[in-house]
Amino acid sequence: MAVANDITALADRLAALQSRDTLRFAMCGSVDDGKSTLLGRLLAEAGMVPEDRLAQMVRDSKTHGTQGGKPDYSLLLDGLEAEREQGITIDVAWRYFGTDKRAFIVADCPGHAQYTRNMASGASSAELGIVLVDARAGVLTQTRRHTAILAMFGVQHVLFAVNKLDLIDYSPARYHAIEQECVKLAHDLGIEHADAIPVSAINADNLVVHSPNTPWYTGKPLLQYLETIKIARAVDAAFAMPVQWVNRPDHTFRGYAGVVAGGRVAPGNEVVVLPSGRLSRVVRVVGGDTDLKNAEAGQAVTLTLTDQIDVARGDVIADPALPPEVASQFACHLLWLDDTALLPGRRYQMKLATCTAGAQVTEIKHRIDPDTQAHLAATRLVANEIAYCNLSLDTDIAYRPYREDRRLGGFILVDRETNATVGCGTLDFGLRRDSNVRWQQLDVDRVARSRIKGQTPRCLWFTGLSGAGKSTIANLVERRLLADGFHTILLDGDNVRHGLNRDLGFTDVDRVENIRRVAEVAKLMMDAGLIVLVSFISPFRAERQLARDLIGEGGFMEVFVDAPLAVCEERDVKGLYAKARAGEIANFTGIGSPYEAPERPEIHLHSDRQSAADAAALVVKLLTE
Amino acid sequence: MKVARLHTHLDRLEAESIRIMRETVAECRKPVLLYSIGKDSSVLLHLLLKAFYPAKPPLPMLHVNTTWKFREMIEFRDRIAREKNVDLIEHINQEGLRQGTDPVNDAARHTYVMKTVALRQALAEHGFDAAIGGARRDEDPARAKERVFSLRGAGQRWEPRKQRPEPWGLYNTRLAPDETLRVFPLSDWTELDVWLYIRREGIEVVPLYFAKERPTFVRNNALLVRDDDRVPLEPGEKLVPKTVRFRTLGCWPLTAAVESDAADLDGIIAEMLDTRQSERAGRIIDLDPSDSMERKKREGYF
């Protein structure tokens, strides 16, 4: 019986291991931050280091450890002494470990300023960046630089591991101050998701289990955080696949092999081949030795098309409704990797996805200080420097802006004489769109329009008493969303009544018509792919239900901006309460007319207890989650 | 925001490895796949067939035979090459063979002459500019910084400082006349991933990986399985039948067996999840000073 149980348990475990997913993360910090010790200790605590290696580490610690003979966990990771002779201690080291839930691929990045270029490989593929912070020092220039590079390479999740907490006596006040500073830093750099965790690698605090030394820390221990963090991959993008290789074994088969960069593809789908712009249709989607019903982003497949058209390596096969753009001149960010400086006008070879083209930097717009983000004048670029440039290619290529698609927007530059990879960068936008390329007009719908904006349309319906802070908060939310690259529109009750609804009064019938029109307009704007913020007192449940029904469940988010009448009346920003009390305004909500509070709003804000900024941050968080 | 379907870790590894193989074939003049007959090579071959289906793989496989491989390995190699319809090139260092090497008493020289030098000979003789191998970064700390496309200078030497950054998996394959590339599609795989993938895909591996009663003897603290009579037993040594298996495969006098009852894939994986012994602990050539892998790499072993 016991044996049978063991076998079942093993089968379950193997099934779990086979179906686990991946998290790729970059670990940024210098030796002084205790990065290697942290990683080494995490692996050891989680029981993932082979016994013979643990034993060797304990032996080696006595002779060349840094912990006075005690186990030095950094030795589990440190490369060989030879690395120092070879001068590659600064290279990214790749580490692998896993649990039954998830496999981890770790890019262990070096910390010092002159090693910025070495972070590129690690950050380019990372889904999460962990930035080590020494609790004694707090946020340093180095912390800013690491976070800025993660931001440049499109890493949307950053975890600040505040290490050496033992050396600040596990002070929650000190930790919280650092946490706040870190999270703000990340947000300022445009990183959407930022968290912090208090750890001590030496004492294994909060690595695998909660530490008794930090009873005030209620978040997850590091390993659990890594196992559970959700990464939104390739937001339901439109289909695109760079062609890697043309598979033509004989006259009966001609297929185009590649990895799907975004979206999905199925037999029967119409596709466009870029940059030529020729249209065709998918016949077969072959994966391995079988025909698939469809394939999605990340899968390696071979497509066959109905037409015998000319398709070559470097072309991109895509959804004709939302194809990648085609251009030969770009604005881009460039990180210089080589010891020989970049010279504007010199010809390099560019490689992006599967295509190769001759390239030259025509202009360095400005250099960017990685520590302060300040723009500096520059005529050339040396190793580890980052600049905003104009790039010119000798041919058209298909691409997407890097923020939309890493694989179709990230490139390297190769020196044609030394063959060294001398730079890497991210395409921002095309400078001249090629107007000769035309695609067939297709019906464009809400999904298509919102896809191109990289967002899901929503209607945020702010309701509450006059003076509760609806407009203030809605304004802040819109500013935050705009800063994060979302496309929005704000419909304010007062403004709409001056224009679209100026024929309406405040009778019950007019109130309903007022809401109906606003809801219809909001819906049209959602069809345009926008996130719509509606700021209306909308005091009656039935009206708001009307709007909800019109817009549809799922897209509608009721935001109740709640403040007691007395508070609103005291604020009385527009002097309306005074007038209502004086009898000058009839049916004023809260005075002559009731306000029916939402029973189950999607978001409930208390503007008398929260600052407008906090309330807005909460709305943005819930919206983008 | 809608999230794309989550692929499993194995799905992602597979797709990336296939992509790497296709890049090699698309960009290199004359690539070859280094086939060592071990489990990693079995996975490589499986991925190669997937990457180019329905075409026959557009590159041959090269096996560097030291003439000391287990007989079961050679039988397996020939049958698989036939069944999968892949071109197989066998290379033996004939000069080394003439001079004679002794894997028992001079393992280092044997490995250098019959493996490292032999591989250099084969690559030069056929003019291969890229050799795809099954090495993984998790095998040894010396490999943690290895690139997926590793640049080799004149004489196949690994030049640490000339290695190229590989952001976004963009591989620069431009070569000077005397340079070549080693390509490692399994860089991101761990030993566990390899076995799980073999299990998922039903890939055939050499039966030596599975526990079976075999004639064993102990020399230099290593449990060896006698595959032929070229190594005479010394006084005090005797053949003892034991149920053993191999975690890695190489020249038989240099490959230690482990006592085990793991007779199938699930058993092997269970053992691996359990014993937590690093993979190369069983291979005698690695019981050298700790930088041995590093040195062999510089000499062009991998």
Side-chain angles (χ1 to χ4, degrees), chain A residues 252-271:
Chain A
T252 64
F253 189 92
R254 184 185 175 96
Y256 307 104
V259 174
V260 180
R264 65 171 64 198
V265 63
N269 285 173
E270 197 180 18
V271 290

Side-chain angles (χ1 to χ4, degrees), chain B residues 34 69 111-112 115-117 119-120 143 152 156 182 280 283 285-286 292-293 295-302:
Chain B
L34 300 179
K69 302 295 176 190
T111 302
Y112 178 72
K115 209 163 165 177
T116 307
V117 174
L119 177 58
R120 292 206 302 238
R143 291 216 174 121
R152 301 303 155 101
Q156 312 285 339
R182 298 292 165 86
R280 288 184 170 267
R283 198 182 276 194
I285 55 166
D286 281 355
S292 60
M293 178 65 78
R295 199 186 58 239
K296 282 197 287 285
K297 194 161 80 173
R298 281 203 299 276
E299 287 165 352
Y301 168 41
F302 272 100

Side-chain angles (χ1 to χ4, degrees), chain A residues 459-471 473-474 491 515 533-545 547-548 556-563 568 589 594-607 619:
Chain A
C459 176
L460 289 168
W461 192 280
F462 292 81
T463 172
L465 290 168
S466 175
K470 297 181 298 298
S471 297
I473 294 169
L491 300 174
I515 297 299
L533 298 89
V534 177
S535 172
F536 266 58
I537 297 175
S538 46
F540 301 115
R541 274 181 210 127
E543 299 171 357
R544 297 193 301 263
Q545 187 61 44
R548 185 185 287 270
F556 189 87
M557 292 176 84
E558 194 172 20
V559 184
F560 179 24
V561 184
D562 192 0
C568 297
T589 301
Y595 177 79
E596 297 172 355
E599 284 168 336
R600 276 187 301 276
E602 272 77 8
I603 304 177
H604 192 158
L605 305 172
H606 297 273
S607 72
V619 174

Side-chain angles (χ1 to χ4, degrees), chain B residues 183-251:
Chain B
V183 182
F184 303 116
L186 305 184
S187 286
D188 281 343
W189 297 53
T190 63
E191 186 189 12
L192 179 61
D193 295 327
V194 168
W195 282 117
L196 288 172
Y197 186 71
I198 286 170
R199 181 181 187 266
R200 186 182 90 166
E201 301 285 304
I203 299 169
E204 199 182 346
V205 293
V206 183
L208 289 162
Y209 284 113
F210 302 110
K212 198 180 125 180
E213 193 178 272
R214 297 183 169 98
T216 70
F217 68 104
V218 176
R219 183 173 292 181
N220 299 331
N221 292 321
L223 185 63
L224 299 179
V225 170
R226 200 160 183 246
D227 200 57
D228 57 52
D229 54 11
R230 282 181 286 178
V231 180
L233 292 181
E234 286 173 4
E237 288 177 346
K238 63 173 187 205
L239 285 182
V240 182
K242 277 187 179 167
T243 303
V244 296
R245 67 180 201 86
F246 294 89
R247 299 188 65 185
T248 61
L249 296 178
C251 295

Side-chain angles (χ1 to χ4, degrees), chain A residues 236-255:
Chain A
D236 201 20
F239 167 68
M241 186 191 87
V243 175
Q244 261 196 299
W245 186 70
V246 180
N247 191 346
R248 209 168 17 170
D250 55 50
H251 67 280
T252 64
F253 189 92
R254 184 185 175 96

Side-chain angles (χ1 to χ4, degrees), chain A residues 18 20 22 47 50-52 83 86 91 94 96 124 127 233 244 247 313 351 402 419 421, chain B residues 6-7 9 12 19 23 27 52-53 137 144-145 147 168 171-172 174 188 199 276 278 298:
Chain A
Q18 248 170 249
R20 63 185 176 166
T22 319
E51 280 160 14
D52 54 334
E83 283 184 4
Q86 295 155 6
D91 279 17
W94 297 91
Y96 304 88
S124 72
E127 293 157 322
R233 294 194 182 90
Q244 261 196 299
N247 191 346
R313 173 172 165 85
K351 207 169 169 186
Y402 185 73
N419 290 336
T421 300
Chain B
L6 285 183
H7 290 288
H9 183 55
R12 286 177 82 176
R19 190 180 75 84
E23 282 298 291
E27 296 232 318
F52 300 104
Y53 177 87
R137 290 199 188 107
K145 299 183 177 186
R147 304 297 197 272
W168 305 291
Y171 305 115
N172 168 3
R174 288 173 68 102
D188 281 343
R199 181 181 187 266
R276 304 201 171 280
S278 60
R298 281 203 299 276

